[in-house]
Each structure stands twice: as C-alpha cells, then as structure tokens.
Amino acid sequence: MRKPNVVILGAGYGGLMTTVRLQKLIGVNEANITLVNKHDYHYETTWLHEASAGTLHHDRVRYPIRDVIDRNKVKFVQATVTKIVPDEKKVLLADGELTYDYLVIALGFESETFGIKGLKEYAFSIANVDAARQIREHIEYQFATYNAEEDKKPERLTIVVGGAGFTGIEFLGELANRMPELCREYDIDPHKVRIICVEAAPTALPGFDPELVEYAVSQLERKGVEFKIGTAIKECTPDGIIVAKGDDVEEIKAGTVIWAAGVRGSRVIEESGFEAARARVKVDPYLRVPGHEDIFVVGDCSLVIDEETNRPYPPTAQIAMQEGQLCAKNLAVLIRGQGELEPFKPDIKGTVCSLGHDDAIGVVFGKKLWGTKASFMKKVIDNRALYLIGGSSLVMKKGKFKFF
Ligand code: FAD
Ligand code: NAD
C-alpha cells in the first residue's frame, strides 16, 4: 500500500511539536513525513526579545532542527514556502514544489502594522533571529555613532517601543537591564538615553491583572523607561515617530523604533486564498481548514474561539505546542484509518511576562506572582518548552539555569 505523504510547514513551536510527536506515534513504514522550514534551525520565538536587546546571544536562542528529529522517519527540507494549492494538493516553494496527502500549516506570525505609514520602512519588529540581531546591532551602531560625531544628535540615544503588550514589556525589561552596560561600553552618559514606550490603550498590558500591570510599569519606570499611555503611533518617519493623544499630535525624534504592537498570521495563508482574519484561519474542532479535511493549521496561523469569552485565544507558544500535540495524534488516526479524531481543548496554565532576567509578573494556575518567584517560574516555563520538544538533552544544552 502507498504510504501517505505528510508535509509539515514551519519548524516553530507548532510545527516542530507536531513533527516530534508524530515521529514517536508512527512507524517508518506508515507514512512519509516531510518537515519544511526556512532555516535549518529552530528558534525560541519566546526568547527573541532577549536577543534583540542583546542580553542573550542569538545563538543561545536557536538549535539545529536535526538535533530533535528522527531522520529515519522525517525528511527535512530547508526551503521557503510561497503558496499552497489545495485543489492540486501542492505546496509551492521558492525553488520547487511538494505534494501532500496531509498538510500541516505552522508558518507562525508576522508583524501587523495596520497600514500605519512608514512602519514597514523605518521600524524594526522582533520577528525572528535575523531581525533580533539587526535590532541589537542597530542600537549599538547608534550609540557608537553618537560619540563619533562632532555635531551630536541626541535622538540617536532615543529608543521608542510601540506597544506595551507582552512583547513590548518583555523587550523593555531586557533593554532597561542592558542599558548600564551598553552606556559603559560606548562611553555614553546614561542620563542622555531615553527609552519611551507608546501604548494606544488606556493601560499597559490591556486586559491583564491591574495590580501586576502597576508593578511592571513602576519597575520599568524605576529603570528609566518613560510610558506614554493612551497615545497611538500614527506614523513612522526616518527621524522617529508621530503620535497622537486625543487631538494632541507630537513628533518624537528617535534613532531606533521597535514596533511591538501586534501580530498576524503568515502571508502564505492569504497568498493561498484561505478564508482568514488577519491571516489566521478559523479552524474546525480538529484543527482543520473548513472544507479542506486534509489540511491542519496550528500555531499563530490558526484561530480558535474561546467559548467562555467568545473571543479568539491569543496567539501564544503555549497554544501552538498544545495544538501540535493534538495534531500529531489526529494525523496518526488518519494515517492508520483507526480511532476517532479528538477535538482541540486548550489547557491554559497561565501567563508569565518577564521584566528582565531577574524580575517578572504572572498568573499561574490562578495565582498571582511577581518578582523573583515569577522570574523563576518564567525560566521553568522556558525550560519546559525545550523539554517537550527535545527532552532532557535539549534542556541541558539550551536551558536557562541562572535563576537570579
Ligand atoms: P513560530 O514559532 O513563529 O514558528 C514559525 C516557523 O515557520 C519558524 O521556524 C519560521 O522560520 C518558519 N517560517 C515562517 N515562514 C516561512 C515560510 N514562508 N517558509 C518556510 N518556513 C517559514 N507565547 C507564549 O506562550 N509565552 C511567551 O512567553 C511568549 N513570549 C513571546 C516573546 C516574544 C518576543 C514574541 C515575539 C512572542 C512571544 N510569544 C509567547 C508568542 C509565541 O512566540 C508565538 O505564539 C509562537 O511562536 C507561535 O508558534 P508558531 O509555531 O505558530 O510559529
Ligand atoms: P499584542 O497585540 O498582545 O499587544 C500589542 C499592543 O500594542 C496592545 O497593547 C495595543 O493596544 C498596542 N497598540 C496597537 N496599535 C498601537 C498603536 N498604533 N500605537 C501604540 N500602541 C498600539 O501583541 P504582542 O505583545 O506582540 O503579543 C503577540 C502575542 O504573543 C500575544 O498573543 C501575546 O500574548 C503573546 N506573547 C506572550 C508573551 C508571554 O506570555 N510572556 C510574551 C510576548 C508575546
């Protein structure tokens, strides 16, 4: 009998989890599994703010995909996916194509700029390893150039972060911690540095526990971060940003602008003509594209509604990994033609937001945490993600063991 071709697109949390679970569930002779990813490494997206601020080297954030896949069962193809053609069961790559019987789309997120002028051209976003490295190096370049110029431009030492969601706050925590060292390294008076966070909503971390939000904001302010709350970025220019609070419009000159104010699914979703909201496909209970029972979507390209709130679950690594685990189980059922498909039921254990390596806030199993306890918990969560994909050997290689 012909073995079905299972093609998994993307080796982030969702795609890699699907792959490592599926390789455990099925035998060599049951299916051909192909994993496609742009790079030959996986990166911990949830650590990218650290690489961007320069508090963690970018090589610490990534590891070779070959370290966690069983090459007897999984063929790895390093390629960029450009489009899916469901009617022909084909995946188009930048330099070739693949055919599938079952497809898993796990291509992750892209920055959502909401059409705001100048963001694509002049702002950075914390999107992948290359982007993180670029952000770190750009900030260092600005600091080095400031001192090299006779006609000093103070805006070179101004860094604007757009959005005080979890990404913005986590990045600010790292950046504020790095600043003293960076100032020493580049001979900069720390008083000349400005780190400004601009948030459109009436509070930082909208929707999160107000007491913990207050703690986070005051800890960051203590380290020199200025918050402009209830203020929206309207435009990004080569010289900085234009913001508005009600009718008041202000220009903030800045050498570095980081846009951390929202995400959307991969452009491949839209290129392929799937019905989607911000490139996220509202999947059926089994994580499949409605009308295409051979295509699963996991991670940030999928949209699952929380029945309690009637709103989509936020795109998180926690959900991407749980979806990957279920997707592997459901694929095994289909490959064998035995058993029943299981519906996806997320098990949200909580949220922890770091404020640098030594501080954090969070709600875990309904309990509020802050300070070193929360920071410890964050590292446990980071190590657990490694464990779930690569077992204890991956934790030993890449884990975080410096707790305070
Ligand atoms: P990703 O992990 O983004 O992986 C997508 C993969 O697909 C990547 O390997 C990419 O290279 C590859 N790819 C993309 N396009 C193509 C293409 N065209 N062709 C081939 N390959 C492609 N969530 C939490 O739950 N907890 C956290 O603490 C947390 N912290 C975060 C911190 C930061 C700084 C950021 C930015 C996000 C954080 N998130 C967190 C959200 C979380 O990272 C995402 O929800 C998660 O990464 C989604 O997983 P995914 O598998 O869908 O995509
Ligand atoms: P987000 O959508 O959660 O937050 C974006 C923030 O930007 C919001 O507060 C929004 O009000 C603000 N904003 C939007 N437009 C703006 C504008 N024009 N000017 C100023 N502010 C504006 O996005 P995110 O923080 O990138 O998070 C993306 C996903 O990743 C979320 O699901 C989040 O839960 C997850 N995440 C989780 C963690 C964690 O668990 N520790 C860390 C990072 C990200």
Side-chain angles (χ1 to χ4, degrees):
M1 210 171 80
R2 190 179 78 85
K3 288 195 280 182
N5 287 332
V6 179
V7 176
I8 299 163
L9 307 179
Y13 293 103
L16 206 48
M17 181 59 91
T18 308
T19 309
V20 299
R21 289 296 160 111
L22 188 61
Q23 74 189 9
K24 283 196 184 125
L25 289 172
I26 65 161
V28 183
N29 296 321
E30 289 184 287
N32 301 310
I33 308 172
T34 305
L35 173 65
V36 184
N37 196 62
K38 215 180 254 185
H39 311 105
D40 61 358
Y41 57 83
H42 162 91
Y43 50 84
E44 295 294 302
T45 308
T46 60
W47 305 8
L48 285 178
H49 56 289
E50 297 169 70
S52 303
T55 47
L56 191 68
H57 192 272
H58 56 263
D59 282 339
R60 284 277 284 114
V61 167
R62 59 182 172 177
Y63 58 82
I65 289 169
R66 63 169 187 276
D67 283 4
V68 292
I69 60 171
D70 176 346
R71 278 176 281 172
N72 292 319
K73 290 185 183 169
V74 178
K75 180 179 169 204
F76 175 67
V77 174
Q78 186 178 348
T80 298
V81 178
T82 55
K83 191 176 171 173
I84 296 149
V85 191
D87 293 344
E88 297 173 32
K89 287 180 170 273
K90 259 190 200 164
V91 175
L92 306 188
L93 308 172
D95 52 2
E97 60 180 51
L98 293 167
T99 56
Y100 62 84
D101 296 297
Y102 297 110
L103 182 69
V104 181
I105 305 174
L107 293 169
F109 70 96
E110 293 183 11
S111 168
E112 171 62 278
T113 56
F114 305 107
I116 296 172
K117 200 171 155 196
L119 281 175
K120 282 204 174 111
E121 294 81 354
Y122 309 120
F124 297 95
S125 71
I126 303 172
N128 51 44
V129 169
D130 293 331
R133 189 167 35 203
Q134 209 187 359
I135 292 169
R136 191 200 72 213
E137 288 185 1
H138 178 82
I139 294 171
E140 289 183 10
Y141 171 82
Q142 293 292 350
F143 276 49
T145 310
Y146 174 82
N147 265 343
E149 282 171 340
E150 238 170 70
D151 173 20
K152 301 229 177 305
K153 298 187 180 68
E155 60 270 24
R156 287 200 187 275
L157 306 181
T158 299
I159 301 164
V160 166
V161 176
F166 288 109
T167 302
I169 292 291
E170 289 201 326
F171 176 65
L172 286 163
E174 299 298 327
L175 196 60
N177 274 1
R178 172 119 201 265
M179 225 19 92
E181 174 203 305
L182 205 60
C183 288
R184 264 196 310 277
E185 199 177 329
Y186 288 95
D187 218 1
I188 300 279
D189 173 359
H191 297 102
K192 294 202 163 96
V193 176
R194 286 185 79 193
I195 303 175
I196 305 169
C197 176
V198 181
E199 167 58 54
T203 168
L205 297 174
F208 204 56
D209 181 276
E211 203 187 0
L212 294 177
V213 174
E214 201 187 311
Y215 174 86
V217 169
S218 65
Q219 289 293 79
L220 293 173
E221 280 178 338
R222 207 172 48 80
K223 292 181 185 175
V225 176
E226 298 169 45
F227 281 89
K228 285 184 178 286
I229 298 292
T231 307
I233 294 187
K234 294 291 180 191
E235 189 179 335
C236 188
T237 68
D239 303 323
I241 52 162
I242 295 169
V243 299
K245 186 171 190 169
D247 293 335
D248 296 338
V249 176
E250 185 194 350
E251 182 185 8
I252 302 172
K253 290 202 184 264
T256 308
V257 178
I258 313 293
W259 177 248
V263 294
R264 65 193 335 274
S266 162
R267 70 193 62 192
V268 173
I269 295 290
E270 283 163 346
E271 290 289 322
S272 310
F274 294 115
E275 201 180 315
R278 285 211 222 150
R280 296 177 74 194
V281 178
K282 192 171 164 194
V283 287
D284 75 8
Y286 311 104
L287 302 175
R288 298 176 302 188
V289 179
H292 296 284
E293 296 196 338
D294 49 353
I295 307 181
F296 291 81
V297 189
V298 300
D300 286 3
C301 291
S302 75
L303 190 147
V304 176
I305 300 290
D306 178 349
E307 279 167 11
E308 265 177 40
T309 59
N310 204 25
R311 295 177 55 141
Y313 281 104
T316 64
Q318 184 173 191
I319 290 193
M321 286 195 288
Q322 291 180 12
E323 288 180 333
Q325 287 169 335
L326 180 77
C327 182
K329 270 193 189 172
N330 282 343
L331 280 167
V333 167
L334 292 171
I335 290 164
R336 297 204 170 119
Q338 274 173 22
E340 299 257 314
L341 295 183
E342 267 181 50
F344 180 61
K345 291 199 187 83
D347 172 19
I348 309 297
K349 299 184 191 328
T351 302
V352 181
C353 173
S354 69
L355 304 169
H357 76 280
D358 49 356
D359 199 359
I361 51 168
V363 179
V364 180
F365 298 119
K367 200 169 173 278
K368 283 197 222 179
L369 298 173
W370 61 91
T372 46
K373 267 192 194 160
S375 180
F376 176 81
M377 183 54 78
K378 179 76 175 149
K379 280 155 199 146
V380 170
I381 295 168
D382 287 350
N383 290 343
R384 181 176 179 269
L386 293 172
Y387 180 78
L388 288 175
I389 287 183
S392 43
S393 64
L394 188 61
V395 180
M396 294 317 288
K397 267 191 226 152
K398 303 302 280 194
K400 291 181 177 170
F401 300 110
K402 193 174 163 240
F403 287 104
F404 305 108

Short mmCIF file of all heavy atoms in Angstrom, two decimals, residues 10-14 37-39 43 45-46 49 79-81 106-109 126 167 170 268 299-300 315-318 320 378, ligand 1:
data_model
loop_
_atom_site.label_atom_id
_atom_site.label_comp_id
_atom_site.label_asym_id
_atom_site.label_seq_id
_atom_site.Cartn_x
_atom_site.Cartn_y
_atom_site.Cartn_z
N GLY A 10 6.87 24.68 8.52
CA GLY A 10 7.27 25.52 9.66
C GLY A 10 7.77 24.68 10.81
O GLY A 10 7.11 23.72 11.21
N ALA A 11 8.95 25.03 11.33
CA ALA A 11 9.53 24.29 12.46
C ALA A 11 9.62 25.20 13.68
O ALA A 11 10.64 25.27 14.36
CB ALA A 11 10.89 23.72 12.09
N GLY A 12 8.54 25.93 13.94
CA GLY A 12 8.43 26.69 15.19
C GLY A 12 7.82 25.79 16.24
O GLY A 12 7.88 24.55 16.14
N TYR A 13 7.18 26.38 17.24
CA TYR A 13 6.60 25.58 18.32
C TYR A 13 5.55 24.60 17.80
O TYR A 13 5.53 23.44 18.19
CB TYR A 13 5.97 26.48 19.38
CG TYR A 13 6.98 27.31 20.11
CD1 TYR A 13 7.16 28.66 19.81
CD2 TYR A 13 7.78 26.74 21.09
CE1 TYR A 13 8.10 29.41 20.48
CE2 TYR A 13 8.72 27.49 21.75
CZ TYR A 13 8.88 28.82 21.45
OH TYR A 13 9.82 29.56 22.10
N GLY A 14 4.65 25.08 16.95
CA GLY A 14 3.56 24.24 16.47
C GLY A 14 4.05 23.13 15.55
O GLY A 14 3.72 21.95 15.74
N ASN A 37 11.22 24.06 6.48
CA ASN A 37 11.44 25.31 7.24
C ASN A 37 12.46 26.16 6.50
O ASN A 37 13.37 25.65 5.85
CB ASN A 37 11.95 24.98 8.65
CG ASN A 37 11.82 26.16 9.60
OD1 ASN A 37 10.72 26.63 9.85
ND2 ASN A 37 12.93 26.65 10.12
N LYS A 38 12.29 27.48 6.66
CA LYS A 38 13.16 28.45 6.00
C LYS A 38 14.62 28.27 6.37
O LYS A 38 15.50 28.44 5.56
CB LYS A 38 12.69 29.83 6.49
CG LYS A 38 12.78 30.93 5.50
CD LYS A 38 12.30 32.22 6.15
CE LYS A 38 10.93 32.61 5.65
NZ LYS A 38 10.47 33.90 6.17
N HIS A 39 14.87 27.95 7.65
CA HIS A 39 16.25 27.79 8.12
C HIS A 39 16.45 26.35 8.58
O HIS A 39 15.47 25.64 8.83
CB HIS A 39 16.52 28.72 9.32
CG HIS A 39 16.09 30.12 9.09
ND1 HIS A 39 14.96 30.66 9.66
CD2 HIS A 39 16.62 31.10 8.33
CE1 HIS A 39 14.81 31.91 9.27
NE2 HIS A 39 15.80 32.20 8.44
N TYR A 43 14.17 28.38 16.26
CA TYR A 43 14.48 29.39 17.29
C TYR A 43 13.33 29.47 18.28
O TYR A 43 12.18 29.23 17.95
CB TYR A 43 14.76 30.77 16.68
CG TYR A 43 13.75 31.28 15.69
CD1 TYR A 43 12.58 31.92 16.10
CD2 TYR A 43 13.96 31.11 14.32
CE1 TYR A 43 11.66 32.39 15.17
CE2 TYR A 43 13.04 31.56 13.40
CZ TYR A 43 11.89 32.19 13.83
OH TYR A 43 10.98 32.63 12.92
N THR A 45 11.07 31.55 19.72
CA THR A 45 10.49 32.87 19.48
C THR A 45 10.28 33.62 20.79
O THR A 45 10.45 34.84 20.86
CB THR A 45 9.13 32.71 18.75
OG1 THR A 45 9.34 31.89 17.61
CG2 THR A 45 8.57 34.03 18.32
N THR A 46 9.95 32.86 21.83
CA THR A 46 9.65 33.49 23.13
C THR A 46 10.89 34.06 23.81
O THR A 46 10.78 34.65 24.88
CB THR A 46 8.97 32.47 24.07
OG1 THR A 46 9.86 31.39 24.26
CG2 THR A 46 7.67 31.94 23.50
N HIS A 49 13.09 38.59 22.38
CA HIS A 49 13.27 39.93 22.96
C HIS A 49 14.62 40.04 23.65
O HIS A 49 15.21 41.10 23.72
CB HIS A 49 12.12 40.25 23.94
CG HIS A 49 11.97 39.24 25.02
ND1 HIS A 49 11.50 37.97 24.80
CD2 HIS A 49 12.27 39.30 26.34
CE1 HIS A 49 11.49 37.30 25.94
NE2 HIS A 49 11.97 38.08 26.88
N ALA A 79 13.63 25.23 2.96
CA ALA A 79 13.06 25.97 1.83
C ALA A 79 12.06 26.99 2.34
O ALA A 79 11.55 26.88 3.45
CB ALA A 79 12.35 25.00 0.88
N THR A 80 11.77 27.97 1.47
CA THR A 80 10.75 28.97 1.81
C THR A 80 9.46 28.62 1.08
O THR A 80 9.45 28.45 -0.13
CB THR A 80 11.25 30.37 1.40
OG1 THR A 80 12.43 30.64 2.14
CG2 THR A 80 10.22 31.45 1.68
N VAL A 81 8.39 28.51 1.86
CA VAL A 81 7.08 28.20 1.27
C VAL A 81 6.50 29.50 0.71
O VAL A 81 6.52 30.54 1.37
CB VAL A 81 6.13 27.67 2.37
CG1 VAL A 81 4.75 27.39 1.80
CG2 VAL A 81 6.72 26.43 3.03
N ALA A 106 2.11 25.54 9.76
CA ALA A 106 2.58 26.04 11.06
C ALA A 106 3.62 27.14 10.80
O ALA A 106 4.73 27.10 11.32
CB ALA A 106 3.17 24.90 11.88
N LEU A 107 3.23 28.10 9.97
CA LEU A 107 4.21 29.10 9.48
C LEU A 107 4.33 30.32 10.39
O LEU A 107 5.06 31.26 10.07
CB LEU A 107 3.86 29.51 8.05
CG LEU A 107 4.04 28.36 7.03
CD1 LEU A 107 3.43 28.74 5.68
CD2 LEU A 107 5.52 28.00 6.86
N GLY A 108 3.61 30.33 11.51
CA GLY A 108 3.85 31.36 12.51
C GLY A 108 3.29 32.73 12.17
O GLY A 108 2.37 32.87 11.37
N PHE A 109 3.90 33.74 12.80
CA PHE A 109 3.32 35.10 12.75
C PHE A 109 4.20 36.06 11.95
O PHE A 109 5.37 35.80 11.69
CB PHE A 109 3.16 35.64 14.18
CG PHE A 109 4.49 35.94 14.84
CD1 PHE A 109 5.01 37.22 14.82
CD2 PHE A 109 5.23 34.94 15.46
CE1 PHE A 109 6.23 37.52 15.41
CE2 PHE A 109 6.45 35.23 16.05
CZ PHE A 109 6.94 36.51 16.03
N ILE A 126 10.32 42.49 16.29
CA ILE A 126 11.01 41.33 16.89
C ILE A 126 10.38 40.08 16.29
O ILE A 126 9.45 39.51 16.85
CB ILE A 126 10.85 41.37 18.43
CG1 ILE A 126 11.40 42.70 18.97
CG2 ILE A 126 11.53 40.18 19.09
CD1 ILE A 126 11.13 42.95 20.45
N THR A 167 4.99 41.54 24.35
CA THR A 167 6.27 41.63 23.64
C THR A 167 6.98 42.94 24.00
O THR A 167 8.18 42.95 24.32
CB THR A 167 6.06 41.54 22.11
OG1 THR A 167 5.40 40.31 21.83
CG2 THR A 167 7.35 41.61 21.35
N GLU A 170 8.23 42.88 27.66
CA GLU A 170 9.37 41.97 27.88
C GLU A 170 10.65 42.55 27.28
O GLU A 170 11.73 42.47 27.85
CB GLU A 170 9.07 40.59 27.28
CG GLU A 170 8.03 39.82 28.09
CD GLU A 170 8.05 38.33 27.87
OE1 GLU A 170 8.35 37.89 26.74
OE2 GLU A 170 7.77 37.59 28.83
N VAL A 268 1.50 33.54 3.65
CA VAL A 268 1.22 32.36 2.80
C VAL A 268 -0.27 31.99 2.89
O VAL A 268 -0.88 31.53 1.92
CB VAL A 268 2.13 31.17 3.19
CG1 VAL A 268 1.73 29.90 2.45
CG2 VAL A 268 3.59 31.51 2.94
N GLY A 299 -0.73 26.74 15.62
CA GLY A 299 0.07 27.92 15.97
C GLY A 299 -0.59 29.21 15.56
O GLY A 299 -1.82 29.31 15.45
N ASP A 300 0.24 30.23 15.32
CA ASP A 300 -0.27 31.59 15.11
C ASP A 300 -1.07 31.77 13.82
O ASP A 300 -1.72 32.81 13.64
CB ASP A 300 0.89 32.59 15.14
CG ASP A 300 1.40 32.82 16.56
OD1 ASP A 300 0.89 32.16 17.50
OD2 ASP A 300 2.31 33.65 16.73
N PRO A 315 -2.63 34.44 20.19
CA PRO A 315 -1.63 33.55 19.58
C PRO A 315 -0.43 33.38 20.51
O PRO A 315 0.33 34.33 20.72
CB PRO A 315 -1.23 34.29 18.30
CG PRO A 315 -1.57 35.73 18.55
CD PRO A 315 -2.66 35.76 19.57
N THR A 316 -0.28 32.23 21.10
CA THR A 316 0.83 32.00 22.04
C THR A 316 1.54 30.68 21.76
O THR A 316 0.97 29.77 21.14
CB THR A 316 0.33 31.95 23.51
OG1 THR A 316 -0.53 30.82 23.65
CG2 THR A 316 -0.40 33.22 23.92
N ALA A 317 2.75 30.58 22.29
CA ALA A 317 3.54 29.35 22.14
C ALA A 317 2.84 28.22 22.91
O ALA A 317 2.85 27.06 22.48
CB ALA A 317 4.93 29.57 22.70
N GLN A 318 2.24 28.59 24.05
CA GLN A 318 1.54 27.61 24.87
C GLN A 318 0.48 26.89 24.03
O GLN A 318 0.39 25.66 24.02
CB GLN A 318 0.89 28.36 26.05
CG GLN A 318 0.21 27.49 27.02
CD GLN A 318 -0.28 28.26 28.27
OE1 GLN A 318 -0.67 27.64 29.22
NE2 GLN A 318 -0.28 29.57 28.28
N ALA A 320 0.23 26.98 20.65
CA ALA A 320 0.84 26.35 19.46
C ALA A 320 1.34 24.94 19.79
O ALA A 320 1.14 24.00 19.02
CB ALA A 320 2.00 27.22 18.94
N LYS A 378 9.14 31.76 35.09
CA LYS A 378 9.32 32.03 33.65
C LYS A 378 10.41 31.11 33.08
O LYS A 378 10.28 30.56 31.99
CB LYS A 378 9.70 33.51 33.47
CG LYS A 378 9.95 33.91 32.04
CD LYS A 378 8.68 34.08 31.27
CE LYS A 378 8.94 34.59 29.89
NZ LYS A 378 7.97 34.10 28.93
P1 FAD B 1 6.78 30.26 15.15
O1 FAD B 1 7.28 29.76 16.46
O2 FAD B 1 6.93 31.70 14.83
O3 FAD B 1 7.46 29.39 14.01
C1 FAD B 1 7.19 29.57 12.64
C2 FAD B 1 8.29 28.84 11.86
O4 FAD B 1 7.97 28.87 10.47
C3 FAD B 1 9.65 29.49 12.01
O5 FAD B 1 10.64 28.48 12.15
C4 FAD B 1 9.84 30.24 10.68
O6 FAD B 1 11.20 30.38 10.30
C5 FAD B 1 9.09 29.32 9.71
N1 FAD B 1 8.58 30.02 8.54
C6 FAD B 1 7.86 31.17 8.51
N2 FAD B 1 7.51 31.46 7.24
C7 FAD B 1 8.04 30.50 6.46
C8 FAD B 1 8.00 30.24 5.06
N3 FAD B 1 7.36 31.06 4.23
N4 FAD B 1 8.63 29.15 4.60
C9 FAD B 1 9.29 28.30 5.43
N5 FAD B 1 9.35 28.48 6.77
C10 FAD B 1 8.73 29.57 7.27
N6 FAD B 1 3.99 32.95 23.77
C11 FAD B 1 3.87 32.30 24.95
O7 FAD B 1 3.02 31.40 25.09
N7 FAD B 1 4.69 32.61 26.01
C12 FAD B 1 5.66 33.54 25.92
O8 FAD B 1 6.39 33.79 26.88
C13 FAD B 1 5.82 34.23 24.68
N8 FAD B 1 6.79 35.15 24.54
C14 FAD B 1 6.96 35.78 23.33
C15 FAD B 1 8.01 36.68 23.21
C16 FAD B 1 8.21 37.34 22.01
C17 FAD B 1 9.35 38.31 21.88
C18 FAD B 1 7.35 37.07 20.91
C19 FAD B 1 7.58 37.79 19.59
C20 FAD B 1 6.31 36.17 21.03
C21 FAD B 1 6.11 35.51 22.24
N9 FAD B 1 5.08 34.56 22.41
C22 FAD B 1 4.94 33.91 23.60
C23 FAD B 1 4.23 34.19 21.28
C24 FAD B 1 4.81 32.93 20.62
O9 FAD B 1 6.17 33.11 20.35
C25 FAD B 1 4.08 32.55 19.33
O10 FAD B 1 2.71 32.44 19.61
C26 FAD B 1 4.64 31.23 18.80
O11 FAD B 1 5.97 31.40 18.40
C27 FAD B 1 3.80 30.70 17.66
O12 FAD B 1 4.31 29.47 17.26
P2 FAD B 1 4.22 29.00 15.73
O13 FAD B 1 4.71 27.60 15.69
O14 FAD B 1 2.89 29.33 15.18
O15 FAD B 1 5.23 29.97 14.97
#
